[in-house]
Amino acid sequence: VQLQASGGGLVQTGGSLRLSCTASGRIDGSYMGWFRQAPGKEREFVAAISWGATPYYAGSVKDRFFISRVYAKNAVDLQMNSLKPEDTAVYYCATSPRFTTTLNEYHYWGQGTLVTVSS
């Protein structure tokens, strides 16, 4: 499985961005997750979604970020609203056979896409 993340960019505080993670290869039954890594910080869990489209969110993004599956495109999107400077990070998508917020339980990773939120 190969994952391609896209959609990052520069946005002002309060703005929105939509990230997409497209998979080549079968991801049937997999959980898809988004993580982010800010400069000088550890990579952290942002959101995940089950094959059946049940979402999970980190507390810091709940009610601002929304994860969804695009089955026809074998993809997962992350709609990010009300962005804050502290959301600035490289965002990565990954797959796991079950729900987890633990990095090393995700088996395949995309290359990351940079999101910069200016104040």
Side-chain angles (χ1 to χ4, degrees), residues 32-35 44-49 55-58 61 65-67 78 99-100 106:
M32 298 292 294
W34 284 96
F35 289 76
E44 64 176 5
F45 171 80
V46 174
I49 190 166
Y56 306 86
Y57 299 101
V61 306
F65 290 14
F66 300 94
I67 190 170
L78 184 69
F99 173 67
T100 177
Y106 282 80

Side-chain angles (χ1 to χ4, degrees), residues 43 77 89 102 108:
R43 195 171 298 187
D77 288 353
T102 303
Y108 299 99

